[in-house]
Amino acid sequence: MNVVPPTSASLIAPLAGVLPSGGLLTAEEDLARYSRDWSGDHFGRPLAVARPASVEEMSALMRRCHEEHIPVVPQGGLTGLVGAAVAADNGEVVISLERLNKVRSINPIDFAIVVEAGCILEDAKRAAEDNDCLLPITFGAQGSCRIGGNVATNAGGFNVLRYGMTRDLVLGLEVVLADGRVWNGLKVLRKDNRGYDLKQVFIGSEGTLGIVTAAALKLYPRPTHIETALIGLRSVEDAMTLYARARRDCSDLLSAFELILRRGIEITLQARPDFADPLSRAYPVYVLVEVSAGGLVDLSAMLGDFLAGATDLVEDGVIASSRAQGERLWLYREIMVERQGRGGRYLRTDVSVPISKLAHFVADTLAVLEEARPDALAVTYGHVGDGNIHLNVVPPLGMGPEAVEQLFEDAEAHIFAVVDRYGGSISAEHGIGRVKQKAFLERIDPVALDLAAGIKEAFDPRHILSNGRILAPKSVIDYR
Amino acid sequence: MNVVPPTSASLIAPLAGVLPSGGLLTAEEDLARYSRDWSGDHFGRPLAVARPASVEEMSALMRRCHEEHIPVVPQGGLTGLVGAAVAADNGEVVISLERLNKVRSINPIDFAIVVEAGCILEDAKRAAEDNDCLLPITFGAQGSCRIGGNVATNAGGFNVLRYGMTRDLVLGLEVVLADGRVWNGLKVLRKDNRGYDLKQVFIGSEGTLGIVTAAALKLYPRPTHIETALIGLRSVEDAMTLYARARRDCSDLLSAFELILRRGIEITLQARPDFADPLSRAYPVYVLVEVSAGGLVDLSAMLGDFLAGATDLVEDGVIASSRAQGERLWLYREIMVERQGRGGRYLRTDVSVPISKLAHFVADTLAVLEEARPDALAVTYGHVGDGNIHLNVVPPLGMGPEAVEQLFEDAEAHIFAVVDRYGGSISAEHGIGRVKQKAFLERIDPVALDLAAGIKEAFDPRHILSNGRILAPKSVIDYR
């Protein structure tokens, strides 16, 4: 049978009139900014961009898409790193959450905020601060990413150690389902054991099971004291020993424990000549330690005593004497992250292993990489209190694009093989999307795959939502 | 068509030989201790009791049950309060987890323990302590309940405020599915964002989606200092104002904040003449406050400063001067819980509302009860830092069993109606099981019900697992 492939225009024709004027963008020049993600690594031209401005509009839109089998991909701030929110080229309608961006309510006695999915994380964090509270999700992209994306990817970041992943902060969700029905699971209850906890299914599902339109999130008391230290150490082993002690000495007040190898500090020094080497000389390994508390705890004494008791491990260190100095210490890490690729592409990995194995894992992986691809520049840093390492690979200057692709493929295969040996995860916080899908599907237990496919089938039987993210793409439309 | 109902013997005949000798109990005298739960409120004679001693045996057992459509109910310590783990009378095979009771591994550097589902919570807690760690799940039944039940019910308790529900402590699960396949999701990674987080679906599913056989759980540093205070206050409002301050002053070191109304203290005093009234005179409201920490934090100064700054609220109070005295303060609460029913039945409720509404909620509910059923004795206590109140109802002495039933029905309807007005939950931590099912199904959003039913269908298409818990029972066998 010969089927004539439909044009983009015919595919999206059924959407005409579903949203008020301005709700559906189709002009080429309007589509551009919804087509490329923050990293610049992923591009996909959408069939159209739908921008519902209310839950009712979102519901009507999805009802029509479901009726007409129109594939969609929900999109937040496009800061994800696994290509989940960019459209399949000319194959999907982007559903932008940007117009659903209000803070619906905040209550400091409940320690809870209700925000719409399109709200930028930093705006939600500011609303919390204005109420003397803390919304703990914290990472580099917080000025661009949106709450819906944080929920859909179960975002991590610097403070997971203390406050958990985004999942741990979600009290309730409002979700528009694949068929347009609205599941209203918004609530600010701290404890609720009424049957299956449906929100858990949507969190981290990367847009494949429903479109989160709003979230109720836990807040914490805003810390009134924050102490930051940058410490020089002899080895990753020593860093992990120091972590084990910090975990006990600082009770549950440790809010960050970030590892940076010397090369990372050098990247910052090269990028920013106004930054001095932070300690008296160079050390192989650095950790950035933060403790924070509100109220009546004397933090500076605690941090001082902790470091004074660790002179067998700590070679040198600086404790920030002011909040500004503390923020400057963090810049050594942030600038490194921004500049690690020297403006070009680089391979990102985001792996985790049991904490007790992390030092050995880093040593093994770096040795394997050095052996296999001595031309690659490895940049290693991460949230080691969570066992999470970003072991990134920068190509040598001047390498051609095909050779770079091959380098990335080789390096990733080598890194993931070590992860497998250590019983680790190939995606600690970034998710799977499309970028990690092949590696994910190669490793997934068939029983787990069956269960996941069963959930997908129950929640999105026509496979119109983010088809091909996490799970393999399903050909659901005859003509595709 | 006339179908001859099968005998118990014929129903379980296909199980012969599946387990080694001693694995299947069928003698009347052997069934007794698997037939009645801890509260004594729920009874159900199982068709048989299967006691697999390994995951392989569990898998073989479930494969056969699936093939033969034999309904089963997994059973742990029988300490649940909603009748989920007791068999439907003569209609289900109990699958006891009691022989799967090992601590498989523990690693204090990873702050993780891997325990089998039949391990008694207190044994797992002791293993953690032996490794200088804390397994935070803490409640009255911890000497009898089993880890699998804690996971299946997402158990709460005293320390949820600080450490979260059981869900928040689960790093990984091993689950035998309805058809006997094993999902191996056991891992001790702190962060893992590889696709759908399947363990979340099983946690809190009350045995309806799979049989948890082992769990990897987060541990915390074992607190080296614990400070406990019992405080007398004028009102629940004042208790909640004090809580709001404690949350900020004590940073994240507050580990319990329990409310007890005066009647609760009186129950303890009546039950135990050796216990003196704990404060200089009687107060309408008491809170039991606990802060804990390890390492370098000076807790006693913190608690002292906190109380010194709250003289406008605190009428009187005692700070335990030793661990033994702290435990004695807790006994005022524990004895009250044990003796509240005067040895007879009483109505348990377990509701939650937003923290900011709790004081009004308690006042409204008690007023409604007093108006509607002045003969009822209300006992009110709970984990108010989580917005969770147990508002229980004790019948007057000498009331006949039918009148008691009617009282419970009336009282529950009145309490739940107030919960509804406050946007609260009719089950904060106990779950739904069979006891709360009617009230649950009357309130559930049809969209949520559809999603829940879809998950059930995907995970247990023959409805052999804990049929009729949470969701309405499904007649899956023609002759039943």
Side-chain angles (χ1 to χ4, degrees), chain A residues 102-368:
Chain A
K102 284 191 294 295
V103 173
R104 287 200 196 156
S105 66
I106 182 164
N107 184 327
I109 301 292
D110 289 332
F111 283 102
I113 187 171
V114 179
V115 275
E116 293 183 340
C119 184
I120 289 176
L121 173 55
E122 206 147 83
D123 294 340
K125 286 171 78 76
R126 198 168 310 116
E129 277 171 29
D130 292 345
N131 285 271
D132 212 16
C133 289
L134 171 74
L135 173 59
I137 313 169
T138 303
F139 49 81
Q142 67 191 36
S144 305
C145 68
R146 296 176 191 264
I147 294 291
N150 300 148
V151 172
T153 60
N154 185 26
F158 300 129
N159 293 151
V160 173
L161 186 61
R162 168 86 164 264
Y163 300 104
M165 302 283 277
T166 298
R167 181 184 302 279
D168 299 297
L169 302 171
V170 176
L171 293 168
L173 291 180
E174 175 188 81
V175 180
V176 173
L177 303 180
D179 61 7
R181 287 181 302 164
V182 180
W183 173 58
N184 184 355
L186 269 188
K187 55 185 180 176
V188 299
L189 304 173
R190 317 291 294 188
K191 286 167 89 173
D192 184 10
N193 250 351
R194 283 177 292 175
Y196 305 161
D197 191 358
L198 296 172
K199 65 177 179 290
Q200 303 297 343
V201 180
F202 297 106
I203 299 167
S205 70
E206 302 187 26
T208 63
L209 299 178
I211 301 180
V212 172
T213 50
L217 301 171
K218 276 187 204 171
L219 301 177
Y220 280 81
R222 185 181 182 186
T224 49
H225 322 306
I226 301 179
E227 297 281 335
T228 310
L230 183 70
I231 293 162
L233 298 154
R234 286 179 297 264
S235 65
V236 180
E237 281 84 350
D238 281 4
M240 298 314 291
T241 306
L242 187 69
Y243 170 68
R245 285 197 210 163
R247 188 77 206 277
R248 291 183 181 273
D249 281 358
C250 303
S251 200
D252 295 336
L253 302 176
L254 193 62
S255 45
F257 197 96
E258 294 287 314
L259 179 86
I260 310 170
L261 301 199
R262 175 63 192 175
R263 185 171 287 160
I265 298 292
E266 280 167 4
I267 289 169
T268 295
L269 296 179
Q270 280 157 22
R272 289 285 294 265
D274 56 319
F275 273 57
D277 214 323
L279 303 179
S280 58
R281 65 170 182 80
Y283 294 94
V285 169
Y286 296 76
V287 291
L288 197 53
V289 179
E290 195 176 272
V291 292
S292 60
L296 302 166
V297 181
D298 183 354
L299 272 185
S300 72
M302 186 184 79
L303 186 63
D305 289 352
F306 161 62
L307 292 176
T311 49
D312 54 328
L313 298 168
V314 172
E315 292 275 295
D316 191 5
V318 53
I319 301 181
S321 60
S322 66
R323 200 62 216 112
Q325 211 191 328
E327 282 164 13
R328 193 166 166 97
L329 290 179
W330 273 100
L331 282 178
Y332 281 91
R333 187 195 188 284
E334 286 165 32
I335 294 165
M336 178 256 309
V337 171
E338 271 168 37
R339 300 301 292 270
Q340 60 184 316
R342 299 187 286 217
R345 290 191 61 199
Y346 59 98
L347 173 73
R348 285 184 186 80
T349 73
D350 162 43
V351 303
S352 65
V353 294
I355 297 168
S356 58
K357 296 178 178 174
L358 191 125
H360 280 128
F361 168 77
V362 170
D364 270 12
T365 313
L366 292 179
V368 163

Side-chain angles (χ1 to χ4, degrees), chain B residues 375-389:
Chain B
D375 53 342
L377 193 72
V379 183
T380 307
Y381 58 95
H383 320 299
V384 293
D386 310 311
N388 179 194
I389 277 279

Side-chain angles (χ1 to χ4, degrees), chain B residues 231-357:
Chain B
I231 293 162
L233 297 155
R234 287 179 296 264
S235 66
V236 180
E237 281 83 349
D238 281 4
M240 299 315 290
T241 306
L242 187 69
Y243 170 68
R245 286 197 209 164
R247 189 74 208 279
R248 292 186 179 270
D249 281 357
C250 304
S251 200
D252 295 336
L253 303 175
L254 193 62
S255 44
F257 197 96
E258 295 286 315
L259 179 86
I260 310 169
L261 300 198
R262 174 64 192 175
R263 185 172 287 160
I265 298 292
E266 280 167 4
I267 290 170
T268 295
L269 296 178
Q270 281 156 21
R272 288 285 294 266
D274 55 321
F275 273 57
D277 213 322
L279 302 180
S280 58
R281 64 171 183 80
Y283 295 94
V285 169
Y286 296 76
V287 292
L288 196 54
V289 179
E290 194 176 272
V291 291
S292 60
L296 301 166
V297 181
D298 183 354
L299 271 185
S300 72
M302 186 184 79
L303 185 63
D305 290 351
F306 161 62
L307 292 176
T311 48
D312 55 328
L313 298 168
V314 172
E315 292 276 296
D316 191 6
V318 53
I319 301 181
S321 59
S322 66
R323 200 62 215 111
Q325 211 191 327
E327 282 163 13
R328 193 164 166 100
L329 290 181
W330 273 100
L331 282 178
Y332 282 90
R333 188 197 188 284
E334 286 165 32
I335 293 165
M336 177 258 305
V337 171
E338 271 168 38
R339 301 300 292 272
Q340 60 185 315
R342 299 186 286 218
R345 291 191 62 199
Y346 59 98
L347 173 72
R348 286 183 185 82
T349 73
D350 161 43
V351 303
S352 65
V353 294
I355 297 167
S356 59
K357 297 179 178 173

Side-chain angles (χ1 to χ4, degrees), chain B residues 124-143:
Chain B
K125 287 172 78 74
R126 199 171 306 117
E129 276 172 29
D130 291 346
N131 285 270
D132 212 15
C133 289
L134 170 75
L135 173 58
I137 313 167
T138 303
F139 49 82
Q142 67 191 36

Side-chain angles (χ1 to χ4, degrees), chain B residues 154-166:
Chain B
N154 185 27
F158 300 130
N159 293 152
V160 172
L161 189 60
R162 169 85 164 265
Y163 300 104
M165 302 283 279
T166 297

Side-chain angles (χ1 to χ4, degrees), chain B residues 55 58 97 100 104 115-118 174-176 182 211-215:
Chain B
V55 177
M58 182 70 84
L97 275 299
L100 278 166
R104 287 200 195 156
V115 275
E116 293 184 340
E174 177 187 79
V175 180
V176 173
V182 180
I211 301 179
V212 172
T213 50

